[in-house]
Amino acid sequence: MSSNQLPDLSAEELRRSMGLSKLDALAYALMVGFGEAYFLADSVRLGATTTEIALLVGLPLALGGLGPVLALRLLGRFGRRKPIVVGGASIQALMLFMLAWLDGSGSATIRLLIGISIAYQVSAQCAGTAWSSWYGDLVPTPSRGRYFASRNRVAYAGTIIGLVGGGLLLSQFEHARAGIAGALGGNGFAIAYGVAGVFRCISVALLAASSEGHFLGMPNRARVGRFLRTQRGSDAWRLILLIGLLQVTVFLASAYFNPFMLEELEFTYVEYMIASAVVVGVKALVLPLWGRSIDRSGAKRTLIVGGLMLTMIPVPWIFVHGLFGVLLCQTLSGAAWAGFEVGHFSLLLELGYRRMRPSIFAAQSLVSGSAQLLGGLIGSLLLSAEFGARGV
């Protein structure tokens, strides 16, 4: 059945789908906490260089932009969003199980980790583009700020639980100290990735049980061109480019916070887990404030405040020498990213018409991924130049 043949959802179906989406957010977040959050720690264990770390952070996000392009092609051909979301999520689960097998068998390399991370991100962004259109249409406009803030709080709580669980697994099964390049082991990462894959499978089941509702279909190129010439289209494109420029500057440093904690500050996996969990915990605490800010003052103002806070994140890291200082930095980071993320998402929804949203989110993914890769590579060059000047 094509989406234009699907009926509009009843009030009961709408409530059920919004409720299932919160459970999906929990399962998805547990996947992230057990799995994706520890990709960088695994890369350090595998002996990644600064350039390889930059590639692990940026390349999957940049090439992941192929996912939204694929989503647009599939949406244009089949006119359905749920199968795309379910399919992309299923491939993510498969990639996590593959990582679990590689680490458990001792076959993992940094190149394989980067390659699987690329496939993981392509499928994630393909699913994310279709999901943003699906739930952007499904959630009523007056309650978007509160609903997505509430859903994100559930996700952040799940991420914290996953981070704690993953950190405990690594502490128990990874016997070498965290941050030692080329360390043996991998069993802890294998177990954590396997658990993450199971939670993604649960997420797939919840997505499959949700109702999709009517989809107006994809606009043709002429209509996209006309939209870009309107005020809303121009505002959307300028927003995407400005956010990309901001992310270049932010990822000059932020790509290296985790390796800095593991290698320079010699954090244990438990300390690393605590530092990572603080970011997510602060996001959960402040999201209701950001959600009310959107409903009261608009997404644009919220995004501006969050973006200004983002620019200040790298500054206190200059003075950090231990766990307490890192926790303060992570507190600022969590508050800033929460406002930026929910403001950015809500503003893109406001600027795009229903049929334009998949194209807008696809463009946003392409620009943001490329910006983060560029920022990470520039940071790598700066670090290499610094180490070279010191003779390291």
Side-chain angles (χ1 to χ4, degrees):
M1 183 184 295
S2 65
S3 187
N4 59 12
Q5 295 174 304
L6 293 173
D8 290 327
L9 301 184
S10 66
E12 179 59 31
E13 289 174 321
L14 177 61
R15 284 193 297 269
R16 179 177 176 274
S17 293
M18 290 172 67
L20 287 175
S21 181
K22 287 188 177 182
L23 293 177
D24 162 54
L26 177 62
Y28 173 87
L30 286 166
M31 174 201 70
V32 171
F34 274 100
E36 184 180 337
Y38 289 101
F39 284 2
L40 277 172
D42 202 7
S43 75
V44 172
R45 180 187 69 85
L46 293 170
T49 65
T50 55
T51 300
E52 288 170 334
I53 289 171
L55 291 174
L56 177 61
V57 172
L59 195 58
L61 293 172
L63 294 182
L66 297 173
V69 175
L70 175 61
L72 294 181
R73 295 291 297 273
L74 293 173
L75 285 170
R77 182 168 183 177
F78 300 109
R80 290 289 305 276
R81 294 169 291 189
K82 186 166 79 170
I84 298 171
V85 176
V86 171
S90 299
I91 294 173
Q92 279 190 289
L94 178 62
M95 293 300 103
L96 287 166
F97 289 134
M98 187 177 296
L99 276 178
W101 178 78
L102 288 171
D103 271 332
S105 65
S107 305
T109 65
I110 185 61
R111 290 185 179 180
L112 285 173
L113 179 59
I114 292 172
I116 291 175
S117 296
I118 291 171
Y120 177 93
Q121 277 296 333
V122 169
S123 57
Q125 292 193 36
C126 180
T129 298
W131 184 92
S132 297
S133 170
W134 178 4
Y135 275 85
D137 290 352
L138 188 145
V139 178
T141 301
S143 60
R144 274 183 192 153
R146 289 187 299 274
Y147 175 77
F148 286 115
S150 174
R151 185 182 185 277
N152 284 353
R153 286 190 75 192
V154 171
Y156 292 148
T159 305
I160 291 174
I161 295 170
L163 282 167
V164 171
L168 293 176
L169 285 174
L170 294 179
S171 297
Q172 181 67 30
F173 295 101
E174 292 293 332
H175 301 297
R177 181 182 65 78
I180 298 179
L184 299 176
N187 289 335
F189 287 100
I191 296 170
Y193 293 152
V195 173
V198 170
F199 280 118
R200 193 46 163 162
C201 289
I202 295 172
S203 169
V204 168
L206 291 166
L207 289 165
S210 302
S211 301
E212 181 175 356
H214 186 68
F215 178 43
L216 295 177
M218 294 295 298
N220 56 36
R221 292 184 180 180
R223 184 163 183 172
V224 172
R226 288 196 299 271
F227 171 73
L228 291 176
R229 290 191 291 271
T230 66
Q231 185 63 48
R232 289 176 71 172
S234 298
D235 288 345
W237 188 239
R238 283 197 296 268
L239 173 64
I240 290 170
L241 292 178
L242 287 172
I243 294 302
L245 290 173
L246 173 64
Q247 289 176 323
V248 169
T249 60
V250 170
F251 275 79
L252 279 171
S254 64
Y256 303 99
F257 292 160
N258 291 340
F260 175 73
M261 288 187 278
L262 290 168
E263 296 181 307
E264 300 298 325
L265 299 182
E266 299 185 351
F267 275 15
T268 65
Y269 284 120
V270 171
E271 290 172 321
Y272 178 78
M273 172 265 291
I274 292 171
S276 300
V278 164
V279 176
V280 184
V282 171
K283 283 183 176 182
L285 289 173
V286 303
L287 259 178
L289 300 177
W290 290 120
R292 286 194 291 270
S293 172
I294 289 173
D295 292 335
R296 183 178 59 250
S297 305
K300 183 177 180 180
R301 181 176 179 181
T302 300
L303 176 62
I304 290 172
V305 175
L308 290 174
M309 291 176 65
L310 278 184
T311 64
M312 298 186 292
I313 288 176
V315 176
W317 282 91
I318 299 171
F319 309 101
V320 166
H321 298 289
L323 179 60
F324 179 74
V326 168
L327 296 183
L328 293 178
C329 293
Q330 297 290 72
T331 299
L332 171 62
S333 180
W337 279 109
F340 173 82
E341 289 168 0
V342 74
H344 185 199
F345 181 73
S346 298
L347 188 55
L348 284 177
L349 286 179
E350 289 179 10
L351 291 174
Y353 300 108
R354 294 179 68 176
R355 296 183 68 179
M356 293 294 171
R357 283 175 189 148
S359 300
I360 290 174
F361 282 105
Q364 183 267 329
S365 296
L366 282 168
V367 172
S368 292
S370 300
Q372 291 172 50
L373 174 61
L374 179 60
L377 289 175
I378 293 173
S380 172
L381 291 174
L382 293 174
L383 285 173
S384 298
E386 175 66 16
F387 289 146
R390 292 181 182 182
V392 177

